[in-house]
C-alpha cells in the first residue's frame, strides 16, 4: 500500500473525490452519498431461536448534489435532444487517507441519472441540484 505523508497536517478529504460524467470531470459537486445493503432475515424451525438465515438481494444507492452551472454544462455537452437520463453509465470515485495513512478508494459503479429537476427559492445565493442516482454496485476499497 502507498503511504502518503500529511500535507500541512491534513489528510486527503473532500478534494480527493473525482467524478466524470459524459467524459468530463465534474468540479461543481457539493455532496456525494452512497450505501449498499443486503436484505437478511432469520428463519425459524423448532424452538425459539433461528435455525438459519436467508439472504435476499443486494442493493446499492447513491446521490450527488451539483451546482446548477455544472448541470447546465453537462446538458450543453450532450447531443441535441438528449437528457441527463440518456447519459451513459459513469463511476464516482472517492479516495482519501485513513488514520494510518492508507489510501482508501470507494468506487460507485454504473451510475445513471433518474430525473432532472430544479428548485429555486427567494434568497438563494447559489443554486445546487440534488440527484438520486441508480447504480449497480459499490467497490469498497
Amino acid at each position: 500500500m502507498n503511504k502518503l505523508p500529511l500535507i500541512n497536517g491534513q489528510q486527503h478529504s473532500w478534494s480527493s473525490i473525482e467524478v466524470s460524467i459524459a467524459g468530463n470531470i465534474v468540479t461543481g459537486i457539493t455532496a456525494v452519498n452512497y450505501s449498499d445493503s443486503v436484505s437478511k432475515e432469520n428463519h425459524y424451525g423448532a424452538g425459539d431461536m433461528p435455525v438459519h438465515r436467508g439472504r435476499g438481494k443486494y442493493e446499492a444507492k447513491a446521490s450527488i448534489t451539483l451546482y446548477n452551472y455544472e448541470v447546465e454544462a453537462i446538458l450543453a455537452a450532450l447531443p441535441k435532444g438528449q437528457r441527463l437520463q440518456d447519459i451513459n453509465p459513469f463511476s464516482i470515485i472517492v479516495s482519501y487517507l485513513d488514520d494510518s495513512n492508507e489510501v482508501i478508494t470507494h468506487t460507485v459503479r454504473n451510475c445513471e441519472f433518474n430525473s432532472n429537476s430544479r428548485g429555486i427559492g427567494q434568497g438563494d445565493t447559489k443554486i445546487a441540484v440534488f440527484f438520486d442516482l441508480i447504480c449497480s454496485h459499490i467497490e469498497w476499497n
Side-chain angles (χ1 to χ4, degrees):
M1 286 276 174
N2 287 336
K3 300 270 185 173
L4 298 177
L6 296 179
I7 300 171
N8 296 328
Q10 296 292 314
Q11 294 186 7
H12 288 281
S13 57
W14 178 247
S15 62
S16 302
I17 294 173
E18 180 180 303
V19 179
S20 176
I21 300 174
N24 298 311
I25 298 294
V26 175
T27 58
I29 182 170
T30 65
V32 60
N33 297 287
Y34 50 97
S35 66
D36 64 1
S37 63
V38 174
S39 61
K40 297 179 184 182
E41 69 177 33
N42 288 328
H43 293 175
Y44 294 86
D48 61 353
M49 296 290 187
V51 294
H52 60 86
R53 185 163 289 143
R55 287 175 171 73
K57 68 176 184 166
Y58 170 88
E59 183 177 20
K61 295 180 181 181
S63 66
I64 58 173
T65 303
L66 302 171
Y67 284 123
N68 188 58
Y69 72 83
E70 192 73 70
V71 178
E72 294 303 326
I74 293 167
L75 287 168
L78 296 176
K80 188 166 179 69
Q82 283 201 341
R83 303 170 303 148
L84 285 178
Q85 299 91 319
D86 300 325
I87 294 174
N88 289 330
F90 56 93
S91 293
I92 297 174
I93 300 168
V94 180
S95 295
Y96 59 91
L97 291 178
D98 68 5
D99 291 337
S100 62
N101 287 339
E102 297 282 339
V103 177
I104 304 296
T105 300
H106 302 156
T107 305
V108 186
R109 295 288 186 189
N110 301 308
C111 298
E112 292 185 66
F113 291 96
N114 286 327
S115 63
N116 184 6
S117 64
R118 304 289 187 286
I120 302 167
Q122 191 276 333
D124 286 347
T125 58
K126 59 184 176 192
I127 302 171
V129 185
F130 173 84
F131 294 98
D132 272 323
L133 303 172
I134 186 169
C135 57
S136 63
H137 64 287
I138 301 171
E139 296 171 0
W140 299 94
N141 204 24

